Amino acid sequence: MKVAVVGCGNISRNHFSALNDIEDVQIVAAVDIKPERADMKAEQYGARAYYDLDEMLIKEHPDCVHIATPHYLHTPMAIKVMESGADVFLEKPCSVSISEARALADAQKRTGRQLGVCFQNRYNDSTAAAKEIVDGGTLGKLLGVRAFVTWSREADYYSDDWHGKADKECGGVLINQAIHTIDLMQYLAGGCKALTAHVSNDHLRGIIEVEDNAGVIMELSSGVKGILYATTAYAVNSDVMIELTLEKGNLRIEGESLYQLNEDGAYEYICGNSEEDFVGKNYWGHGHKAIIRDFYDCIKTGRKFEIDAVEGGKAARIVASCYESSAKNERIEVTEYDS
């Protein structure tokens, strides 16, 4: 199976590393508008370097393309690749607006291609265990969920040509850092039907064009309330915390570990990920290899990949609704995909 990676920045290392370990996968192309980055990855993985997506598609005819470019390019590139006849594995966010999310899902349905969105934290042992407990009802009915994302991004993080730019990153802490947590909240609690959000630029005002602080109240489809606070103004990249309050106890995910509140008020460790599949920065998590392996198993067996344009688009729709809510200062209903 011939595979290309488009976008050879930091996160691409996870894609190249995972692909390099999959049997019957050949990395044929590394694509980036910055020649030195494409050249480096091409040399490292025995591929050919390209500086233009269209040229690569014409010359290589890949079976699958990984897209790890700046946010504003994700949907148009993914649609172009699917229309060329290839499958797509797409970094988050899959889309930067509700109209893009709809167009992406329509394109996947029209072309019949596999599309996967890289929400690797769904593949954490802690997520799987929490999902089983919540859905199984062993701790009773879910009452609420709260989450905190407190990370650190200083001015140097935004020194490239797209981070912090409203027209390229298309948002800040919500669409870039907290979208993984938003996806887990709606995944564990059954979707989001409406929300009220407020975003602000308080930490790097005058340096970036996007938000670095956000607060969101979600009305989840299960009938419970979700609360999210996210910031990139903290001192360090602390572990993300998601707490699920149930009738018979609480579950807490911290980083990639799951804990359950016991009778004496302490949290008892349930499970967590091993270190064996770790690539890149620790706050990226350990799930990239697992999700990419599963995506290629779906391609080989014909099984439909679960986190596709519709499922992966749910978090993108929530984020887009957050920006609309904050701009209008009102409650917004989150639209579903209208197939």
Side-chain angles (χ1 to χ4, degrees), residues 2 62 77 115 165 171 260 267 285 289 308:
K2 298 194 300 181
M77 281 188 168
L115 183 140
K165 306 295 192 296
Q260 181 175 335
Y267 278 91
K289 286 193 175 183
D308 64 357

PDB file of all heavy atoms in Angstrom, residues 2 62 77 115 165 171 260 267 285 289 308:
ATOM      1  N   LYS A   2       0.699   2.113  -0.977  1.00  0.00           N
ATOM      2  CA  LYS A   2       1.518   3.312  -1.105  1.00  0.00           C
ATOM      3  C   LYS A   2       0.887   4.454  -0.303  1.00  0.00           C
ATOM      4  O   LYS A   2      -0.285   4.769  -0.466  1.00  0.00           O
ATOM      5  CB  LYS A   2       1.639   3.718  -2.573  1.00  0.00           C
ATOM      6  CG  LYS A   2       2.315   2.684  -3.455  1.00  0.00           C
ATOM      7  CD  LYS A   2       2.706   3.274  -4.795  1.00  0.00           C
ATOM      8  CE  LYS A   2       1.502   3.807  -5.561  1.00  0.00           C
ATOM      9  NZ  LYS A   2       1.901   4.352  -6.882  1.00  0.00           N
ATOM     10  N   PRO A  62      -1.048   7.695  -4.697  1.00  0.00           N
ATOM     11  CA  PRO A  62      -1.011   6.957  -3.424  1.00  0.00           C
ATOM     12  C   PRO A  62      -2.351   6.308  -3.097  1.00  0.00           C
ATOM     13  O   PRO A  62      -3.406   6.768  -3.542  1.00  0.00           O
ATOM     14  CB  PRO A  62      -0.664   8.047  -2.407  1.00  0.00           C
ATOM     15  CG  PRO A  62      -1.213   9.304  -3.014  1.00  0.00           C
ATOM     16  CD  PRO A  62      -0.982   9.153  -4.490  1.00  0.00           C
ATOM     17  N   MET A  77      -7.861  19.931   1.445  1.00  0.00           N
ATOM     18  CA  MET A  77      -6.903  18.906   1.022  1.00  0.00           C
ATOM     19  C   MET A  77      -7.514  17.517   1.106  1.00  0.00           C
ATOM     20  O   MET A  77      -7.330  16.680   0.211  1.00  0.00           O
ATOM     21  CB  MET A  77      -5.638  18.980   1.872  1.00  0.00           C
ATOM     22  CG  MET A  77      -4.686  20.076   1.468  1.00  0.00           C
ATOM     23  SD  MET A  77      -3.115  19.945   2.376  1.00  0.00           S
ATOM     24  CE  MET A  77      -2.107  21.109   1.436  1.00  0.00           C
ATOM     25  N   LEU A 115     -12.020   7.681   5.649  1.00  0.00           N
ATOM     26  CA  LEU A 115     -11.399   8.875   6.220  1.00  0.00           C
ATOM     27  C   LEU A 115     -11.340   8.707   7.726  1.00  0.00           C
ATOM     28  O   LEU A 115     -12.339   8.347   8.360  1.00  0.00           O
ATOM     29  CB  LEU A 115     -12.188  10.142   5.868  1.00  0.00           C
ATOM     30  CG  LEU A 115     -11.548  11.442   6.386  1.00  0.00           C
ATOM     31  CD1 LEU A 115     -11.668  12.572   5.361  1.00  0.00           C
ATOM     32  CD2 LEU A 115     -12.169  11.898   7.721  1.00  0.00           C
ATOM     33  N   LYS A 165      -2.577  32.694  14.046  1.00  0.00           N
ATOM     34  CA  LYS A 165      -3.185  33.484  12.973  1.00  0.00           C
ATOM     35  C   LYS A 165      -4.643  33.064  12.801  1.00  0.00           C
ATOM     36  O   LYS A 165      -4.946  31.885  12.618  1.00  0.00           O
ATOM     37  CB  LYS A 165      -2.430  33.286  11.657  1.00  0.00           C
ATOM     38  CG  LYS A 165      -0.930  33.553  11.737  1.00  0.00           C
ATOM     39  CD  LYS A 165      -0.619  35.010  12.034  1.00  0.00           C
ATOM     40  CE  LYS A 165       0.861  35.325  11.828  1.00  0.00           C
ATOM     41  NZ  LYS A 165       1.758  34.597  12.745  1.00  0.00           N
ATOM     42  N   GLY A 171      -8.432  29.660  15.176  1.00  0.00           N
ATOM     43  CA  GLY A 171      -8.811  29.586  16.574  1.00  0.00           C
ATOM     44  C   GLY A 171      -7.579  29.302  17.402  1.00  0.00           C
ATOM     45  O   GLY A 171      -6.477  29.146  16.863  1.00  0.00           O
ATOM     46  N   GLN A 260     -10.813   5.894  40.273  1.00  0.00           N
ATOM     47  CA  GLN A 260     -12.182   5.871  40.789  1.00  0.00           C
ATOM     48  C   GLN A 260     -12.180   6.318  42.235  1.00  0.00           C
ATOM     49  O   GLN A 260     -11.334   5.893  43.028  1.00  0.00           O
ATOM     50  CB  GLN A 260     -12.783   4.466  40.686  1.00  0.00           C
ATOM     51  CG  GLN A 260     -14.229   4.392  41.191  1.00  0.00           C
ATOM     52  CD  GLN A 260     -14.855   3.017  40.981  1.00  0.00           C
ATOM     53  OE1 GLN A 260     -14.436   2.275  40.088  1.00  0.00           O
ATOM     54  NE2 GLN A 260     -15.836   2.685  41.795  1.00  0.00           N
ATOM     55  N   TYR A 267      -8.784   8.727  45.472  1.00  0.00           N
ATOM     56  CA  TYR A 267      -8.939   8.154  44.140  1.00  0.00           C
ATOM     57  C   TYR A 267      -8.040   6.932  43.991  1.00  0.00           C
ATOM     58  O   TYR A 267      -6.844   6.985  44.222  1.00  0.00           O
ATOM     59  CB  TYR A 267      -8.623   9.195  43.068  1.00  0.00           C
ATOM     60  CG  TYR A 267      -9.785  10.113  42.788  1.00  0.00           C
ATOM     61  CD1 TYR A 267      -9.931  11.312  43.484  1.00  0.00           C
ATOM     62  CD2 TYR A 267     -10.760   9.773  41.845  1.00  0.00           C
ATOM     63  CE1 TYR A 267     -11.013  12.162  43.227  1.00  0.00           C
ATOM     64  CE2 TYR A 267     -11.837  10.607  41.593  1.00  0.00           C
ATOM     65  CZ  TYR A 267     -11.953  11.801  42.279  1.00  0.00           C
ATOM     66  OH  TYR A 267     -13.031  12.622  42.027  1.00  0.00           O
ATOM     67  N   GLY A 285       0.189  12.333  24.013  1.00  0.00           N
ATOM     68  CA  GLY A 285      -0.378  11.037  24.333  1.00  0.00           C
ATOM     69  C   GLY A 285       0.304   9.891  23.595  1.00  0.00           C
ATOM     70  O   GLY A 285       1.210  10.088  22.793  1.00  0.00           O
ATOM     71  N   LYS A 289       0.057   5.462  17.449  1.00  0.00           N
ATOM     72  CA  LYS A 289       0.330   4.192  16.779  1.00  0.00           C
ATOM     73  C   LYS A 289      -0.892   3.287  16.778  1.00  0.00           C
ATOM     74  O   LYS A 289      -1.181   2.610  15.780  1.00  0.00           O
ATOM     75  CB  LYS A 289       1.523   3.491  17.424  1.00  0.00           C
ATOM     76  CG  LYS A 289       2.854   4.138  17.088  1.00  0.00           C
ATOM     77  CD  LYS A 289       4.036   3.275  17.464  1.00  0.00           C
ATOM     78  CE  LYS A 289       5.342   3.910  16.983  1.00  0.00           C
ATOM     79  NZ  LYS A 289       6.518   3.068  17.278  1.00  0.00           N
ATOM     80  N   ASP A 308     -14.765   8.761  11.636  1.00  0.00           N
ATOM     81  CA  ASP A 308     -14.729   9.241  10.266  1.00  0.00           C
ATOM     82  C   ASP A 308     -15.136  10.709  10.212  1.00  0.00           C
ATOM     83  O   ASP A 308     -15.129  11.413  11.227  1.00  0.00           O
ATOM     84  CB  ASP A 308     -15.612   8.372   9.377  1.00  0.00           C
ATOM     85  CG  ASP A 308     -17.094   8.437   9.758  1.00  0.00           C
ATOM     86  OD1 ASP A 308     -17.447   9.122  10.757  1.00  0.00           O
ATOM     87  OD2 ASP A 308     -17.907   7.813   9.057  1.00  0.00           O
TER      88      ASP A 308
END
